[in-house]
Amino acid sequence: MTGPIFDTHAHYSARAFDADRDFLLGSLPGKGVVGVCEQATHSGDAPKVLELAHRYPWVVAAVGIHPESLLPAADCGEEGPAPTVSVYGGDWAAEMRALAPYYEDPKVVAVGECGLDYHWPVPKDAQLAMFEAHIRLALELDKPIIVHDRNAHADVYALLKKYQPKGIVHCYSGSADDAVWLAKQGLFIGFGGACTFKGAKRAAKAISALPLESIVLETDCPYMAPEPVRGTRCDSSLIRYVGEYIAQLRGISAEEVFRTTAENARRVYGL
């Protein structure tokens, strides 16, 4: 058993886990996993996220609207558009109002996953307005925010600098210098399986530059399984590979990485 592992970013509500979700989640403590933050990405998966958080004592939840949820139907796959489009017609503000009662649940410890994603054909103005609304909500609720940043560093950082929320920059892909100033502002930097990939030189530099007290571990499961199991379905137990990689990079023990990052996760989520 490896641990203590705290997975700060997971998606067990995804279809990839339908067949064995209960068995897998029930097995995690035996694999050293002491905590999981399950992320909602829109109003459609929020109920399932809360159901999982209440069923398993080691699971907590974050609720928000992912920028990809704004994708129009023509740009979606076989699953079709998210409720942000199919139910609310793109009116993300109305969907945020519908999600408001969830934040009264003590199991909801963060606002997110939200942010900016310039990889997909989602209008930037809508993304920026929605992300800013999430930041303002997190400040109003005094909860951390879970930040998604894909190909949008400059605009994400500008809003984080303007409002200075607490929270986690998920799946960090920026520079070491930016990671350091974000951490000095009080944000935690999340690293998952992608940091172990052979071409992830920027992540390696950021991990080396940051104090360990500013790093949290994540999976984004079922996606981004780490080396040496890249390409398989990811789950929280595979964080052991990420922790071992970070330990090797920093010249410390894996147990120190797991212990400190789990403490960091509890601190950011107020647990």
Side-chain angles (χ1 to χ4, degrees):
M1 185 176 76
T2 302
I5 291 170
F6 199 118
D7 184 354
T8 61
H9 198 110
H11 298 282
Y12 285 103
S13 59
R15 289 186 179 179
F17 293 111
D18 283 352
D20 60 347
R21 181 183 294 113
D22 291 341
F23 173 80
L24 178 57
L25 279 166
S27 73
L28 290 178
K31 298 174 181 178
V33 178
V34 298
V36 173
C37 187
E38 174 75 357
Q39 311 277 325
T41 57
H42 47 63
S43 58
D45 60 13
K48 184 64 175 180
V49 166
L50 261 293
E51 179 189 341
L52 295 175
H54 281 282
R55 188 183 307 173
Y56 301 97
W58 51 92
V59 177
V60 293
V63 173
I65 307 173
H66 192 288
E68 285 183 35
S69 297
L70 290 168
L71 274 172
D75 295 307
C76 295
E78 60 182 23
E79 293 187 11
T84 316
V85 171
S86 63
V87 176
Y88 292 93
D91 187 352
W92 56 265
E95 187 175 23
M96 284 188 70
R97 289 192 294 272
L99 289 171
Y102 284 95
Y103 297 106
E104 299 174 9
D105 191 308
K107 275 287 198 168
V108 177
V109 297
V111 174
E113 176 184 1
C114 59
L116 302 177
D117 192 318
Y118 291 171
H119 174 78
W120 298 105
V122 178
K124 289 185 179 181
D125 288 349
Q127 290 195 59
L128 285 162
M130 186 170 73
F131 182 34
E132 188 167 15
H134 277 84
I135 295 175
R136 293 170 68 92
L137 176 63
L139 292 171
E140 177 186 335
L141 298 174
D142 192 28
K143 292 183 183 291
I145 191 165
I146 312 301
V147 179
H148 175 93
D149 172 13
R150 188 175 187 186
N151 300 346
H153 298 328
D155 287 344
V156 167
Y157 298 163
L159 284 170
L160 294 178
K161 187 176 289 187
K162 176 181 178 180
Y163 286 100
Q164 300 195 20
K166 59 186 177 182
I168 298 172
V169 182
H170 149 64
C171 194
Y172 186 74
S173 60
S175 70
D177 288 344
D178 285 334
V180 169
W181 78 255
L182 287 165
K184 287 181 178 177
Q185 185 173 292
L187 289 158
F188 289 81
I189 311 299
F191 294 99
C195 80
T196 69
F197 299 167
K198 290 180 174 62
K201 296 179 180 179
R202 282 164 66 89
K205 290 179 180 178
I207 290 166
S208 298
L210 285 164
L212 190 58
E213 291 72 22
S214 295
I215 292 175
V216 293
L217 305 184
E218 59 180 49
T219 57
D220 203 24
C221 69
Y223 317 109
M224 292 197 300
E227 299 287 0
V229 292
R230 184 176 181 179
T232 65
R233 188 189 68 174
C234 194
D235 69 68
S236 300
S237 69
L238 300 183
I239 277 182
R240 68 182 184 273
Y241 295 115
V242 179
E244 289 165 0
Y245 170 76
I246 291 174
Q248 182 179 20
L249 197 62
R250 297 178 67 98
I252 58 178
S253 71
E255 284 305 312
E256 182 178 353
V257 172
F258 293 129
R259 183 181 66 254
T260 303
T261 55
E263 290 171 355
N264 296 344
R266 293 188 183 101
R267 190 161 74 252
V268 70
Y269 289 135
L271 302 174

